[in-house]
């Protein structure tokens, strides 16, 4: 009881010290603030009063240092540019593309406006397997659908699946990993057993099974969900869910390992001695220091996720026609590999570029956040 | 060692029970009745009741699962839903040697090409050979296996059309037979199959070799005037190979994941294709069996790599 009484004021004091305008506080503030940063931060210059002076004298923060290293990594920056380009095209490409072009007098369907023949599902059956033209910028596929429109839709699908999976991956991985690393005990045991299981269970096979078995039902049940048009949204969600289930244990393992290391560091000990609660230590000291590993792991994982979605769609278990996905486009074009290799090369190349860009960006981020990992 | 083996075998059993349970419960909870789906238009209530009883699907779930485990312990995978008098093993038995052959040669490609290339890169670090090797390895490793497979097919087809040759782009010969007619269609799929692992081993071999070359005992060996060749092949290489043994498990995991795509794209009648077809057919006994086979492959691969580790590095003790 008396311990509590002793601890509380110091914690309250600690709280006020962390405020940015506490520049001229007595030494404990400085200690605490130092402790809150990454352990390797060099000691900061004594507070000199004015904020600008302080900024100048201070060693650059580890984050800023990392970003500086990242900016100098040309391969990572090119990849980042490419990713931004693909995201912009996926989101803004279709509405722009559908406003380009005049009405086309189709012998089969009558007058067709650009918003229809530049959509990813419109079939112009007498214009199959065409090369690039003014009307169809990247040509048409075996059902007379616009390849560029399908490509952009496929990119959108990749991005949406990647986002959904990473959200689950980060949230679950962070929660379970921190709990397992910080508290140990049965959560740790459970996580260890579960990850063993998931590592032995080929992740892809799990995803194939889940989509294959539940897929048809999910397509019907969730068909009305308005995510990205008539695309078999149930399948899309299912694929994301299946991939997310298979990836988060790895993230949890990384987070757990890092948490175990952090837990032993002096600044955590300092925080604990000064009376911070477990919750406060986790949120203010552990999680901020996990951010770099989470960002790197999830960026590298995005490649796998995009490959996974494309692969499942390629095997015919993911996105279904009339929807589009890079994997579906590849499998649609496979029978025509002899006669129209163009149709298979376009989605394959785009997929390869996206995947390479995310891998290179992930590698660059890893090198930037942890220069020692570079060989 | 013995204690370790027993412990790992218990772990193996745990993993298999876990995996069969996940697979079982997924099939059990899946919407739709599997027997009804198989019967399609020929639905007849009495036949349906009879079949359900024959497959034991009218029992409560824990009893179904228990029966499955008991059968599995006798290496009996049950009867297929789709082909109603074929045992599951009868369906799988032609695929197993094909997949094993693919995995075996894939692993050989990975090790016999990947490791020497990585070592070469390390010895000539930062030369153009190193840059080229590592650039290629980086790209191969990052690309999905099916993209590499498709690009390989496009190239085969293109060469065939230019030269009039008829190199097969998607087929497979008799397993473990190496006449030219059987061998020819296998070459490209095996190379593609091993590609991801090749890149993985090449990069890793380079890193470990560079690390070993920085060690004191390498400096000592050089200082006492040994020829560079002896230093590299006798002192450094043997130590650089040790960490590579531990990642054999990862390589086997990569191989299992690659099975589905390589077999599907190159039209190879292995476990991956059978497994995929059974998922599409909702033939649960076959799905279960393929999952168990593949998972056992991964776990046993990991076990072998752990045992090899103690053999190549006597300092390691397994507890």
């Amino acid at each position: 009881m008396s311990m509590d009484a002793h601890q509380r004021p110091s914690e309250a004091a600690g709280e006020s010290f962390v405020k940015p305008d506490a520049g001229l506080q007595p030494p404990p503030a400085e200690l605490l603030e130092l402790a809150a940063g990454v352990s390797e931060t060099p000691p900061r210059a004594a507070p000199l009063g004015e904020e600008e002076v302080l900024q100048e004298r201070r060693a650059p923060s580890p984050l800023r240092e990392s970003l500086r290293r990242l900016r100098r990594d040309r391969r990572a920056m090119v990849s980042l540019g490419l990713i931004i380009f693909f995201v912009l095209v996926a989101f803004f490409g279709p509405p722009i593309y559908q406003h380009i072009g005049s009405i086309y007098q189709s012998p089969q369907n009558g007058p067709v406006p650009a918003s229809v023949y530049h959509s990813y599902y419109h079939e112009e059956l007498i214009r199959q397997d065409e090369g690039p033209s003014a009307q169809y910028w990247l040509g048409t596929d075996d059902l007379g659908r616009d390849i560029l429109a399908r490509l952009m839709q496929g990119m959108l699908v990749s991005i949406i699946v990647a986002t959904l999976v990473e959200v689950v991956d980060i949230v679950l991985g962070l929660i379970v990993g921190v709990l397992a690393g910080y508290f140990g005990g049965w959560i740790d045991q459970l996580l260890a057993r579960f990850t063993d299981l998931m590592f032995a269970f080929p992740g892809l096979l799990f995803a194939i099974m889940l989509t294959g078995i539940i897929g048809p039902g999910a397509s019907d049940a969730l068909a009305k969900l308005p995510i990205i048009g008539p695309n078999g949204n149930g399948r899309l969600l299912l694929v994301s869910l299946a991939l997310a289930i298979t990836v988060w244990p790895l993230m949890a393992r990384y987070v757990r390992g890092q948490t175990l290391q952090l837990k032993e560091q002096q600044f955590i000990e300092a925080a604990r001695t000064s009376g911070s609660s477990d919750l406060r230590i986790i949120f203010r000291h552990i999680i901020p220091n996990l951010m770099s590993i989470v960002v790197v792991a999830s960026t590298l994982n995005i490649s796998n996720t995009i490959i996974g979605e494309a692969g499942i769609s390629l095997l015919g278990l993911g996105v279904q026609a009339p929807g589009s996905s890079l994997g579906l486009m590849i499998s649609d074009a496979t029978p025509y590999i002899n006669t129209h290799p163009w149709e298979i090369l376009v989605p394959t190349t785009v997929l390869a570029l996206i995947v390479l860009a995310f891998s290179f960006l992930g590698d660059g981020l890893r090198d930037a956040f942890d220069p020692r990992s570079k060989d | 060692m013995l204690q370790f083996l027993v412990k790992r075998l218990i772990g193996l059993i745990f993993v298999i029970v876990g995996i069969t349970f996940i697979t079982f419960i997924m099939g059990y909870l899946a919407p739709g009745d599997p027997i009804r789906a198989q019967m399609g238009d020929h639905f007849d209530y009495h036949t349906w009741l009879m079949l359900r009883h024959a497959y034991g699907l009218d029992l409560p779930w824990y009893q179904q699962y228990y029966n499955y485990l008991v059968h599995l312990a006798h290496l009996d995978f049950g009867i297929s839903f789709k082909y109603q008098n074929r045992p599951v093993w009868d369906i799988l038995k032609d695929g197993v040697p094909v997949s094993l052959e693919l995995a075996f040669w894939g692993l050989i490609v990975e090790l016999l090409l990947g490791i020497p290339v990585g070592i070469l890169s390390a010895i000539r670090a930062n030369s153009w050979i190193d840059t080229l090797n590592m650039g290629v390895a980086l790209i191969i490793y990052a690309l999905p296996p099916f993209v590499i497979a498709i690009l390989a097919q496009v190239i085969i087809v293109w060469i065939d059309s230019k030269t009039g040759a008829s190199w097969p782009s998607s087929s497979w010969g008799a397993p473990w037979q190496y006449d030219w007619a059987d061998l020819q269609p296998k070459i490209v799929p095996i190379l593609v199959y091993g590609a991801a692992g090749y890149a993985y081993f090449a990069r890793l071999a380079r890193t470990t070799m560079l690390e070993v070359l920085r060690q004191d005992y390498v400096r000592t060996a050089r200082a006492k005037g040994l020829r560079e060749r002896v230093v590299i092949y006798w002192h450094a290489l043997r130590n650089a190979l040790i960490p590579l043994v531990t990642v054999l498990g990862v390589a086997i995991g990569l191989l299992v994941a690659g099975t589905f795509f390589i077999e599907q794209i190159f039209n190879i009648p292995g476990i991956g294709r059978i497994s995929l077809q059974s998922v599409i057919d909702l033939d649960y006994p076959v799905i279960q069996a393929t999952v168990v086979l593949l998972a056992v492959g991964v776990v046993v691969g990991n076990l072998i790599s752990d045992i090899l580790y103690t053999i190549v590095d006597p300092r390691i003790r397994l507890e």
Side-chain angles (χ1 to χ4, degrees):
Chain A
M1 197 63 205
S2 66
M3 280 291 281
D4 267 348
H6 268 292
Q7 277 172 4
R8 265 202 209 103
S10 71
E11 191 185 358
E15 201 115 45
S16 74
F17 290 156
V18 181
K19 282 178 188 160
D21 54 347
L24 282 170
Q25 293 295 322
E30 206 47 33
L31 269 178
L32 254 178
E33 237 202 336
L34 196 69
V38 175
S39 55
E40 285 144 40
T41 324
R44 283 160 185 170
L48 289 180
E50 266 198 70
E51 191 109 342
E52 286 88 347
V53 183
L54 230 156
Q55 284 288 332
E56 260 180 12
R57 286 288 184 94
R58 239 178 222 173
S61 77
L63 178 67
R64 201 169 293 173
E65 189 79 347
S66 302
L67 288 179
R68 198 176 54 80
R69 273 196 294 269
L70 184 65
R71 268 200 300 274
R72 279 199 313 220
D73 184 342
R74 191 176 306 153
R75 199 173 66 194
M77 291 319 283
V78 170
S79 301
L80 183 63
L82 204 58
I83 291 169
I84 293 174
F85 170 74
F86 279 135
V87 171
L88 289 179
V89 167
F91 277 96
F92 300 109
I96 295 173
Y97 189 48
Q98 287 180 6
H99 280 94
I100 300 176
S102 49
I103 289 179
Y104 162 64
Q105 291 294 338
S106 161
Q108 182 198 8
N109 299 324
V112 185
S115 62
V116 173
Y117 66 75
H118 278 175
S119 70
Y120 61 87
Y121 47 81
H122 178 72
E123 299 173 0
E124 201 64 54
L125 285 170
I126 50 163
R127 302 209 43 188
Q128 296 164 359
D129 302 316
E130 284 183 12
S133 65
Q135 186 183 352
Y136 295 116
W137 291 9
L138 287 179
T140 58
D141 68 0
D142 60 303
L143 291 173
R145 293 173 296 197
D146 187 316
I147 289 183
L148 178 59
R150 289 185 72 68
L151 195 66
M152 291 190 292
Q153 178 72 9
M155 281 153 55
L156 189 61
V157 166
S158 293
I159 292 165
I160 287 175
V161 170
T163 313
L164 287 175
V165 171
E166 284 323 308
V167 167
V168 176
D169 184 27
I170 291 173
V171 170
L172 264 183
L174 207 55
I175 291 176
V176 177
V178 166
L179 289 180
Y182 191 81
F183 293 109
W186 64 269
I187 302 181
D188 201 16
Q189 284 295 317
L190 207 63
L191 175 69
R193 292 288 85 77
F194 190 73
T195 44
D196 282 350
L197 198 63
M198 291 315 280
F199 284 144
F201 206 134
L204 190 70
L205 182 57
F206 178 78
I208 288 174
M209 262 170 48
L210 195 66
T211 47
I213 293 174
I214 310 184
S219 294
D220 297 342
L222 302 173
K224 296 282 187 321
L225 272 186
I227 304 177
I228 42 173
N231 215 340
N233 288 319
R235 293 274 189 157
L236 205 60
L237 285 178
L238 200 60
V239 170
S240 311
L241 177 73
L243 291 171
I245 290 176
T246 59
V247 297
W248 75 264
L250 192 62
M251 175 69 87
R253 264 209 181 174
Y254 288 147
V255 168
R256 170 186 175 273
Q258 187 82 357
T259 307
L260 278 179
Q261 273 183 17
L262 284 170
K263 202 171 75 169
E264 303 303 322
Q265 307 244 348
Q266 290 191 335
F267 69 92
I268 300 288
E269 210 174 300
R272 196 173 295 132
T273 321
S274 65
S276 300
S277 64
D278 285 335
L279 211 62
R280 188 182 154 81
I281 291 177
I282 286 176
F283 278 103
R284 299 236 17 156
H285 302 305
I286 303 241
I287 289 185
N289 279 305
L290 289 170
M291 277 309 146
S292 63
I293 198 170
V294 168
V295 167
V296 172
S298 54
T299 311
L300 284 171
N301 187 49
I302 286 178
S303 304
N304 290 335
T305 303
I306 290 175
I307 292 174
E309 183 276 320
I312 291 170
S313 294
L314 178 108
L315 297 175
L317 297 168
V319 172
Q320 307 282 315
S324 176
S325 133
L326 295 176
L328 188 62
M329 289 181 76
I330 293 175
S331 85
D332 282 347
T334 311
Y336 310 99
I337 191 168
N338 292 316
T339 45
H340 307 287
W342 170 256
E343 289 172 21
I344 202 164
L345 274 177
V346 170
T348 311
T349 313
V350 170
L351 179 64
L353 282 178
I354 294 179
V355 167
L356 284 178
F358 273 108
S359 303
F360 288 165
L361 180 64
D363 282 346
L365 280 170
R366 189 185 51 205
D367 292 344
F369 278 122
D370 184 8
R372 282 165 303 171
S373 72
K374 209 170 180 177
D375 37 79
Chain B
M1 187 69 182
L2 190 70
Q3 202 185 357
F4 164 77
L5 272 182
V6 169
K7 213 170 160 186
R8 286 299 295 263
L9 282 176
I10 294 173
L12 177 78
I13 292 171
F14 168 80
V15 164
I16 288 177
V17 169
I19 282 171
T20 50
F21 184 72
I22 295 176
T23 329
F24 170 81
I25 216 71
M26 246 158 83
Y28 183 80
L29 296 177
D33 182 296
I35 299 292
R36 194 164 189 152
Q38 301 298 340
M39 292 173 81
D41 295 338
H42 306 291
F43 182 73
D44 163 60
Y45 185 69
H46 285 285
T47 325
W48 179 72
L49 273 186
M50 208 185 71
L51 280 173
R52 260 175 80 82
H53 184 69
Y55 283 109
L57 294 178
D58 48 353
L59 298 171
W61 69 268
Y62 50 87
Q63 219 155 352
Q64 285 185 37
Y65 182 57
Y66 173 76
N67 287 346
Y68 181 77
L69 283 185
V70 169
H71 283 141
L72 194 63
H74 294 88
L75 296 181
D76 174 8
F77 289 113
I79 309 275
S80 157
F81 281 175
K82 186 173 162 75
Y83 308 99
Q84 278 157 12
N85 34 34
R86 279 183 81 182
V88 170
W89 179 245
D90 193 43
I91 296 174
L92 292 177
K93 73 171 191 287
D94 293 331
V96 172
V98 172
S99 287
L100 277 180
E101 183 189 27
L102 195 59
F104 174 76
W105 288 112
L107 201 58
I108 295 285
V109 165
E110 295 179 357
L111 298 176
L112 292 193
L113 285 181
I115 294 178
V117 166
I119 302 286
L120 181 74
S121 267
I123 295 170
R124 306 230 183 292
N126 299 322
S127 69
W128 66 269
I129 297 183
D130 179 30
T131 316
L132 181 73
N133 277 343
M134 287 305 111
V136 171
L138 188 62
I139 290 175
I140 289 182
Y141 186 66
L143 284 180
F146 53 85
V147 165
I148 300 177
I150 285 166
L151 292 180
Q153 269 188 334
V154 171
I155 292 171
I156 293 177
V157 166
W158 184 76
I159 292 177
D160 278 357
S161 71
K162 288 288 168 199
T163 62
S166 55
W167 191 279
S169 68
S170 61
S171 59
W172 193 252
W176 303 102
Q177 299 292 319
Y178 298 103
D179 303 325
W180 180 240
D182 285 320
L183 179 62
Q184 197 189 13
K186 292 179 187 173
I187 295 174
V188 175
I190 287 173
L191 286 179
V192 171
Y193 194 39
Y198 155 81
Y200 184 73
F201 275 110
R203 292 176 68 181
L204 201 66
R206 178 181 182 274
T207 315
T208 57
M209 188 69 180
L210 279 179
E211 210 164 292
V212 167
L213 286 176
R214 279 197 290 265
Q215 299 291 320
D216 287 341
Y217 57 80
V218 170
R219 193 185 305 143
T220 311
R222 279 184 180 142
K224 70 181 183 187
L226 288 181
R227 272 172 298 153
E228 187 63 15
R229 184 172 302 219
V230 176
V231 173
I232 286 173
Y233 292 106
W234 194 249
H235 293 251
L237 182 59
R238 289 167 19 139
N239 287 297
L241 292 181
I242 293 174
L244 296 180
V245 173
T246 50
V247 298
L248 268 178
V250 178
I252 290 171
L254 278 178
L255 285 176
V256 168
T259 325
F260 300 100
F261 299 113
I262 299 295
E263 292 185 2
Q264 184 74 6
I265 289 169
F266 286 107
N267 218 355
I268 300 169
I271 291 293
R273 274 253 320 258
I274 295 173
S275 155
L276 199 61
Q277 192 55 46
S278 64
V279 167
I280 292 166
D281 292 340
L282 296 184
D283 196 345
Y284 292 107
V286 183
I287 301 178
Q288 290 252 12
T290 53
V291 171
V292 171
L293 280 184
L294 290 173
V296 167
V298 172
V299 177
V300 169
N302 277 321
L303 188 61
I304 291 174
S305 107
D306 282 349
I307 294 172
L308 278 180
Y309 199 29
T310 57
I311 294 173
V312 296
D313 189 352
R315 287 171 303 178
I316 308 290
R317 295 220 178 282
L318 299 166
E319 255 94 58

